[in-house]
Amino acid sequence: MKRWLIENGIFAEPSAERQIFEGWLSVVDGYIAASGEGAAPPEVRDGAEEIVNGKGLLFMPGLINTHGHAAMSLLRGLADDLVLQDWLENHMWPMEAKFTGDDVYWGTSLAAAEMILSGTTTFVDMYDHMDKVAEVAVQAGLRATLTRGVIGLCPPDVQTAKLNDAIQFAKTWQGAADGRIQVMMSPHSPYTCPPDYIERIVAAAHELNLPLHTHMSETAAEVALNVNQYGARPVEHLDKLGLFSRPSLVAHAVHLNDEEIALLAERRVAVSHNPVSNLKLASGVARVPELLRAGVTVSLGTDSAASNNNLDLFEEIRLAALLHKGVSGDPTAVPAGEALRMGTLYGARSIGLGDVTGSLRPGFKADITAVSIDKPHFMPRTDYISHLVYSASGADVAHVWVDGRRIMRDRELLTLDVERIRHEAQRCFERLRG
Amino acid sequence: MKRWLIENGIFAEPSAERQIFEGWLSVVDGYIAASGEGAAPPEVRDGAEEIVNGKGLLFMPGLINTHGHAAMSLLRGLADDLVLQDWLENHMWPMEAKFTGDDVYWGTSLAAAEMILSGTTTFVDMYDHMDKVAEVAVQAGLRATLTRGVIGLCPPDVQTAKLNDAIQFAKTWQGAADGRIQVMMSPHSPYTCPPDYIERIVAAAHELNLPLHTHMSETAAEVALNVNQYGARPVEHLDKLGLFSRPSLVAHAVHLNDEEIALLAERRVAVSHNPVSNLKLASGVARVPELLRAGVTVSLGTDSAASNNNLDLFEEIRLAALLHKGVSGDPTAVPAGEALRMGTLYGARSIGLGDVTGSLRPGFKADITAVSIDKPHFMPRTDYISHLVYSASGADVAHVWVDGRRIMRDRELLTLDVERIRHEAQRCFERLRG
């Protein structure tokens, strides 16, 4: 039984009841065991194998990035300032067609390094060569919910092979690394998967008892295409295909009408809001205040570094708090505390881990991010939630734990070799471009 | 004659011609003397008192923050998620009424520390107790364009006293510290200054040969009030009062119609775009693409840390590039290179320093920011301008020079005592709140 303790710390708990306390927090066998204000009780202190001095640190639940394509970090900065379809079809897809397992391994390693350095402890990833992604997640010590995203614009035998690949991946990895690895099933999107193929993927998800993840209603053009092709907007279309009969997470959901928001709420579909990517690709501004008001669980994703171009979830949290105020004209649209929950608690809920991560309460896994607060941009000490949301960046993160295990200490990565990753990522990129 | 040299560096020059080169740059007596690709010529190398090894660094012009109220850093996080008038009248102004020179000194010192740490070399500041702000700017080694902002909602004798204070400040400080300190005249805004008072301030600016700075058209309510009170929208109103007869910089300019954009272009009025503050206070989204198309010089400001809540100009650069794409639906709306110019070259032009700072070309002052690029979020090395705009944050800045003098080395501030500033800022805040 491994017991350790943080003392002299400030703790930010995003659930509404009890946002900030100064004191201690103990961890037993990877779970948060207890916490309290002031000094730790002698019996807690005596049993601890390690005592972390929390002075000058603000501890928060590790951040949860609910949509991304980690390996695409290899394409960061390759093609900016383009419309989504041009960017995707003429720049991303031709490069991605050349991706080998080696590229996915190193691209994902680059992303994992960046995510840990900016305080993320759990990430959702939809890509190909997913065994490589899972290997990186295990090695990095991150929590990950992974899914082989399948594009169905191909002959039936290729469709079947892709689906079998996704099923095999699920059977191999679901629950691996003491449950740190979870799996979802993913039709890439309604515009890249024919209806019958989506139905087959949904059937597989039922059989495997897995949640579903897809891109949905990212652009107005995509919605119009769906109406044109299938006579229905994407929400109704996916609902008819049974996608929402499983726990589901849809990424983007920028272009929704009121009926669609109501249906998403009714079906308990979670939304991954990706504000930076949506702005950069000129997709638009998601109706986040309306989704939250309707009771939809809205979390945050970076999307890939190719459309962002970083994986700093603090930036998504801040932009979620800022953007909807400015666009709606309502400065209370997404308050600071709600934005923080979107990056933590709601992220966990959106992938079925609402009792596992995203909170510092006892019984949760010790997925913890420690922020250095002795910096000018955190002064004066007025409101720590405000400082985390409106002032912080990923570079303020000092230490990261996942499952109670420290994976970053004083910004040094303990599980990954950053020098090697930088070198290999550059090598992969040059081969792909060449 | 002090000569020094950077070699083995990568240099990002924001003017369109020649954006990136790998090589060397020499500085003589505070001015950029020469630069070139590859190795520095022996005669340049031999004459150098200091040689900076630029390996792993990307050098760019120091950032220029064209609108702020530095001392308000003392109020960071005090009141968030409120509408502008409530925030200003019920939270900011009551606290600010208690500000002494000591508070302004330490609040500005806090802001100066944060600005240097995030790569800003020139800042515009509009506040009260401006002698203190100037003292801090001189001590910090920053370049600053300073202005005593006057609110005219007071009896005539108080108005006169404030104007005399502004005039006295200008006479004392214009051109101080080898020209690093420049002065402007500032009616706070059309809604806080009666027309005749604005005319007196404009007359003083003519007499002193100084530019003018004001808040303008930040909220829709303010525009409606102006129409109601004076029968004209703010641009026409200020034009009639002669404000634009001097070189002028207006902050915010969120709510403009086409005629106003055309008039601002015709009068060569510069606009300080403050995207984070405008979103946070739910003021709206400025029409930046239209302003740029009309030929208006648009630069970037953080506004104060009370409505932001940090002074990281990289965040404003990124948001300027992202926001207008998402809101307009045009992914080419503000390309990366243009956003970088808004934070450098255009910032310099907007305060009459277009031949002085904001560029790395020979003849410009050596105001230089060096960014550490050996980090995962800058890999692979595809496009440095893209990386600076879409991936960087102020925390990536390693070194800062102003006027050829190094004021930060490896993130250590060489002109300011950060420990003391943090302590004093907290003390000031507690007194103000108490």
Side-chain angles (χ1 to χ4, degrees), chain A residues 76 80-81 379 382 386 390, chain B residues 76 80-81 379 382 386 390:
Chain A
R76 183 197 326 264
D80 297 312
D81 306 344
M379 297 300 296
T382 44
S386 165
Y390 294 119
Chain B
R76 185 198 324 265
D80 297 312
D81 306 343
M379 296 300 295
T382 45
S386 166
Y390 294 119

Side-chain angles (χ1 to χ4, degrees), chain A residues 74 76 80-83 279 309 315 318 325 331 336 374 376 379-382 386 390-391 395 422 426 429, chain B residues 74 76 80-83 279 309 315 318 325 331 335-336 374 376 379-382 386 390-391 395 422 426 429:
Chain A
L74 289 185
R76 183 197 326 264
D80 297 312
D81 306 344
L82 301 167
V83 289
L279 292 179
N309 294 348
E315 195 183 330
R318 172 153 54 248
K325 293 177 172 63
D374 284 345
M379 297 300 296
R381 299 196 168 186
T382 44
S386 165
Y390 294 119
S391 307
R422 284 179 41 232
Q426 187 67 27
F429 170 69
Chain B
L74 289 185
R76 185 198 324 265
D80 297 312
D81 306 343
L82 300 167
V83 288
L279 291 179
N309 295 349
E315 196 182 330
R318 173 151 55 249
K325 293 177 171 64
D374 284 345
M379 296 300 295
R381 298 196 169 186
T382 45
S386 166
Y390 294 119
S391 307
R422 285 180 39 233
Q426 188 67 26
F429 171 70

Side-chain angles (χ1 to χ4, degrees), chain B residues 288-304:
Chain B
V288 169
E290 290 91 336
L291 284 163
L292 290 168
R293 264 200 298 276
V296 174
T297 298
V298 184
S299 58
L300 294 168
T302 54
D303 211 348
S304 86

Side-chain angles (χ1 to χ4, degrees), chain A residues 73-78 80-84 110 113-114 117 276 278-285 308-311 315 318-319 321-323 325-327 329-332 334-337 373-383 386-387 390-393 395-396 418-419 422-423 425-426 429 433, chain B residues 73-78 80-84 110 113-114 117 276 278-285 308-311 315 318-319 321-323 325-327 329-332 334-337 373-383 386-387 390-393 395-396 418-419 422-423 425-426 429 433:
Chain A
S73 287
L74 289 185
L75 307 181
R76 183 197 326 264
L78 176 69
D80 297 312
D81 306 344
L82 301 167
V83 289
L84 186 131
L110 180 65
E114 190 188 344
L117 282 161
V276 172
N278 295 161
L279 292 179
K280 183 156 188 280
L281 296 171
S283 305
V285 177
N308 189 304
N309 294 348
N310 66 46
L311 304 179
E315 195 183 330
R318 172 153 54 248
L319 197 51
L322 293 173
L323 179 61
K325 293 177 172 63
V327 169
D330 173 6
T332 69
V334 179
I373 51 171
D374 284 345
K375 298 184 177 184
H377 62 281
F378 294 130
M379 297 300 296
R381 299 196 168 186
T382 44
D383 178 340
S386 165
H387 287 358
Y390 294 119
S391 307
S393 86
D396 296 318
V418 182
E419 282 307 301
R422 284 179 41 232
H423 172 81
Q426 187 67 27
F429 170 69
R433 186 177 50 180
Chain B
S73 288
L74 289 185
L75 307 181
R76 185 198 324 265
L78 177 69
D80 297 312
D81 306 343
L82 300 167
V83 288
L84 185 130
L110 181 64
E114 191 188 344
L117 282 161
V276 171
N278 294 160
L279 291 179
K280 183 154 188 278
L281 296 171
S283 304
V285 177
N308 189 304
N309 295 349
N310 65 47
L311 305 180
E315 196 182 330
R318 173 151 55 249
L319 198 51
L322 293 173
L323 179 61
K325 293 177 171 64
V327 168
D330 173 7
T332 68
V334 179
I373 51 172
D374 284 345
K375 298 185 177 183
H377 63 280
F378 293 131
M379 296 300 295
R381 298 196 169 186
T382 45
D383 179 341
S386 166
H387 287 358
Y390 294 119
S391 307
S393 86
D396 296 317
V418 182
E419 281 308 300
R422 285 180 39 233
H423 173 82
Q426 188 67 26
F429 171 70
R433 186 177 53 182

